[in-house]
Amino acid sequence: MARTQGGERVSLFKLWTFHGGLQLEGHKRESSSAPLVAPIPKRLVFPLQQRSGEDSKPVVAPGDRVLKGQVIARDDHPFNPPIHASSSGIVQAIEDLPLPHPSGLSGSCIVIETDGEDAAVGFTGIADYKRCSPEELRRRIHEAGIVGLGGAAFPTSVKVSPGEDRKVDTLILNGAECEPYITCDDSLLRQYPEDVLEGAKILLHILGAEHCLLAVESDMPEAFHALETAKQQGRFNAIRLVRVPAIYPIGGEKQLISVLTDREVPTRGLPADIGIVCQNVGTAAAVYNAVVRGIPLISRIVTVTGRGVRRPQNVLARIGTPLADLIRQCGGYTDEAERLVLGGPLMGFAVPTDQLPLTKSVNCLLVAGRNELIGEKRSLPCIRCGTCADVCPVSLLPQQLYWYSRSNQTERALDYNLFDCIECGCCDVVCPSHIPLVQYFRAAKSKAIAKRREREKAEHARRRYESRQARKELEKREWAESIKRKKESLETGKAPEILEAIERAKRRRAEKTAPPRENATSIAHDQRETIIAADRVASINDGHDETRSSNANAD
């Protein structure tokens, strides 16, 4: 339902609110133009480590020629979808290189030297996807390497598998690009609205959901108009466009669900627990390309912005492109360039070099100038003002979490729902003491995860030991019962052949150990026969000897 105000259609969809949040300066006009198509880089780098923390296994070797869209690494883990080459070329090496990660550590990477031909494998899509089962479409999404393009990079095939015990009634497409500087989703919605809407229909078919809510921020009027135009031209009756206020962090999954449906995702729960699945608009477009066009996830729109770059711009770039190439595409660095951040100014993280590759999870490359970022001032002691609690969108007590995180009281921090923190950075923005609260919370989470893994290892070792002891005890009891059954069978005469064998053995042992007797009557019958036969032979021999003697005397 909609009404007209000043010649513009205004949605009457009822919206709710969430606790906290901030009105921030957007800095979005600088990069909100149509995306440039980046040229093919000379070198592509593909880290093998993905979200699960485990490396995918290469299926190519140095010297192999690969094509665009060809699988170059895969794994059996459902959280590790396949990795595809984003252009054709020769595999130059598989070696350790720096990873685009806050740790700054290195990891195994596949390096491809492109040939400029951009030769591709044969892409085969499914025009009538409704004939396919949801499970078949999930497999296709997994094989296309699709992950969430909002920044978390959660495997899409897993997210659209809520389980048989969960009934999903609503799909939410997140186009609320609330963090400052980032405009890649805005650019996508203006340039490819049909792809997003078609992807939404595919996701509805997979989930068996009835409704789709596509949220667009109120400061993205061109994107909303493009979606409305595409919706009127196609059959998208199950999809509803909704404008949401530009309040940070309304683009957070739980916050957007609360605003659109007034439902609350339970602590440590999932949106599917309350009948909702939330996907990024870029992910929906990638699903459409994979299912209908057969194209895997080999490129994405990324925002290159900040005072440190000459021409802030959205760029349609190949996955694996070195960040230096993207900055060069946007005119190179300015004299103000000071820091390189992957992501936005609040939830992103600084990296030491521009030789890192573009990955599926990178939606923004922020080249910050001097004093452009929040949190660059010297921190002071906490004054317990409580402002951080006022703006926390998940109603936590950041000051308490800070004290427990700082003093390594991880268990106490967990009591205050540490893992409910979405690391949005609102508390960092308003803290008058300029304390980097989110950094403390991330460190505390890492410690809690490490402790949990240690406990799991200890528990696993304990269960193995107890299982081994129980198995040995069972074997001991079974052996004792077997001996007992054999004795009982001997006593009850259930095994006469065993008794006879024992008696025969006793007789043979007695015969061998009995002393010899001179009395002929005590000699066994067979021995007597032997002696008699020997006597006969001796008598015959004696007769022969006597005959030979008499003949000798006669001569």
Side-chain angles (χ1 to χ4, degrees):
M1 184 176 181
R3 61 184 173 84
T4 303
Q5 178 179 342
E8 183 182 5
R9 293 170 58 85
V10 180
S11 174
L12 298 181
F13 187 82
K14 179 177 175 57
L15 298 176
W16 285 263
T17 59
F18 61 91
H19 180 270
L22 292 171
Q23 291 275 359
L24 299 174
E25 189 176 355
H27 296 286
K28 300 202 175 195
R29 291 186 179 275
E30 297 92 332
S31 62
S32 59
S33 57
L36 294 174
V37 178
I40 301 171
K42 295 181 179 179
R43 187 170 179 259
L44 294 167
V45 179
F46 301 91
L48 296 179
Q49 186 178 95
Q50 300 192 68
R51 182 184 173 91
S52 70
E54 299 293 333
D55 285 0
S56 296
K57 298 173 179 60
V59 295
V60 293
D64 290 351
R65 185 173 188 269
V66 297
L67 301 176
K68 181 173 70 173
Q70 179 180 333
V71 174
I72 58 175
R74 63 167 60 250
D75 193 6
D76 295 333
H77 199 291
F79 284 80
N80 275 358
I83 301 172
H84 303 78
S86 54
S87 187
S88 60
I90 304 297
V91 178
Q92 189 179 41
I94 301 177
E95 59 185 352
D96 283 355
L97 294 172
L99 299 177
H101 190 270
S103 65
L105 298 176
S106 296
S108 185
C109 301
I110 297 177
V111 182
I112 296 177
E113 184 178 350
T114 59
D115 54 18
E117 299 178 8
D118 207 30
V121 298
F123 297 134
T124 305
I126 305 173
D128 189 6
Y129 61 84
K130 291 186 178 180
R131 292 187 176 181
C132 300
S133 66
E135 186 58 37
E136 184 179 351
L137 293 175
R138 291 188 190 103
R139 284 196 301 270
R140 193 172 186 88
I141 290 172
H142 175 81
E143 288 300 317
I146 298 177
V147 298
L149 298 183
F154 193 86
T156 303
S157 60
V158 177
K159 200 168 186 179
V160 296
S161 304
E164 297 180 357
D165 57 333
R166 297 188 181 102
K167 172 60 179 175
V168 175
D169 56 69
T170 303
L171 167 68
I172 292 178
L173 289 190
N174 188 351
E177 203 164 33
C178 58
E179 191 166 4
Y181 291 91
I182 306 175
T183 59
C184 58
D185 288 346
D186 183 16
S187 180
L188 171 72
L189 292 175
R190 284 188 288 163
Q191 298 298 315
Y192 309 102
E194 296 87 358
D195 293 2
V196 175
L197 295 174
E198 291 289 352
K201 289 174 64 176
I202 297 173
L203 292 172
L204 284 172
H205 175 67
I206 293 173
L207 294 168
E210 300 174 358
H211 311 289
C212 173
L213 301 175
L214 200 164
V216 181
E217 273 194 342
S218 57
D219 61 353
M220 299 163 59
E222 294 89 351
F224 192 86
H225 177 70
L227 286 168
E228 272 199 326
T229 303
K231 187 174 183 297
Q232 291 170 3
Q233 295 174 353
R235 297 180 180 179
F236 304 109
N237 297 328
I239 303 171
R240 181 163 193 164
L241 306 180
V242 184
R243 281 182 174 172
V244 294
I247 301 174
Y248 180 80
I250 198 170
E253 186 175 65
K254 293 183 178 180
Q255 286 68 45
L256 187 59
I257 290 173
S258 177
V259 167
L260 293 178
T261 66
D262 196 30
R263 303 183 198 175
E264 183 177 353
V265 180
T267 299
R268 299 296 183 92
L270 298 172
D273 296 334
I274 56 173
I276 295 173
V277 167
C278 190
Q279 292 283 2
N280 179 263
V281 290
T283 308
V287 167
Y288 170 70
N289 284 324
V291 173
V292 177
R293 297 172 178 166
I295 303 174
L297 182 55
I298 55 177
S299 63
R300 67 158 299 153
I301 297 177
V302 58
T303 302
V304 183
T305 186
R307 291 207 308 261
V309 67
R310 295 188 183 280
R311 294 193 302 270
Q313 182 71 51
N314 283 301
V315 180
L316 179 58
R318 311 289 180 110
I319 303 298
T321 301
L323 302 182
D325 288 25
L326 299 178
I327 295 170
R328 193 178 304 113
Q329 177 77 8
C330 296
Y333 294 106
T334 67
D335 295 337
E336 286 192 70
E338 194 171 74
R339 294 180 67 184
L340 193 60
V341 177
L342 293 186
L346 294 168
M347 300 188 72
F349 56 90
V351 291
T353 176
D354 60 5
Q355 296 305 309
L356 302 171
L358 174 69
T359 60
K360 299 174 184 178
S361 63
V362 177
N363 58 359
C364 179
L365 177 57
L366 175 57
V367 187
R370 286 184 291 273
N371 298 321
E372 187 173 6
L373 295 183
I374 301 167
E376 294 186 337
K377 298 180 181 179
R378 185 172 64 89
S379 61
L380 301 171
C382 175
I383 61 174
R384 308 285 285 187
C385 64
T387 309
C388 53
D390 294 337
V391 300
C392 180
V394 287
S395 303
L396 298 178
L397 296 175
Q399 70 271 28
Q400 292 299 118
L401 291 173
Y402 164 65
W403 287 112
Y404 293 134
S405 300
R406 181 180 179 182
S407 58
N408 290 325
Q409 298 184 61
T410 308
E411 296 299 328
R412 296 298 304 274
L414 293 175
D415 293 339
Y416 280 82
N417 299 320
L418 171 66
F419 278 94
D420 280 355
C421 172
I422 61 174
E423 302 178 15
C424 64
C426 285
C427 52
D428 284 1
V429 174
V430 301
C431 179
S433 297
H434 311 296
I435 300 172
L437 296 168
V438 173
Q439 292 186 23
Y440 282 100
F441 303 157
R442 286 173 177 167
K445 286 181 181 180
S446 298
K447 292 177 183 178
I449 292 172
K451 287 184 178 180
R452 183 178 63 191
R453 288 176 177 170
E454 289 298 323
R455 286 196 298 268
E456 289 174 352
K457 288 181 181 178
E459 179 65 18
H460 180 65
R462 183 187 64 80
R463 288 197 300 267
R464 287 189 61 187
Y465 174 76
E466 291 178 351
S467 175
R468 180 172 180 270
Q469 293 299 108
R471 186 173 65 253
K472 291 176 66 176
E473 186 64 27
L474 178 62
E475 291 174 353
K476 185 177 179 181
R477 287 198 305 268
E478 290 177 348
W479 176 255
E481 290 175 0
S482 175
I483 296 298
K484 182 179 179 181
R485 286 194 300 270
K486 288 180 179 179
K487 288 184 178 180
E488 290 176 352
S489 66
L490 291 177
E491 293 174 356
T492 56
K494 292 182 179 180
E497 65 278 2
I498 297 178
L499 292 174
E500 293 177 1
I502 292 175
E503 290 299 326
R504 286 197 300 271
K506 287 181 179 180
R507 287 197 300 269
R508 285 196 296 270
R509 192 179 304 114
E511 291 172 356
K512 290 180 180 179
T513 56
R517 297 182 180 179
E518 296 181 357
N519 190 356
T521 58
S522 64
I523 299 175
H525 177 74
D526 54 347
Q527 292 178 338
R528 278 202 308 272
E529 292 296 329
T530 302
I531 293 172
I532 293 172
D535 289 342
R536 289 176 180 172
V537 172
S539 299
I540 293 172
N541 291 335
D542 290 342
H544 287 306
D545 291 339
E546 290 177 359
T547 304
R548 284 195 296 271
S549 176
S550 59
N551 291 334
N553 293 330
D555 292 337

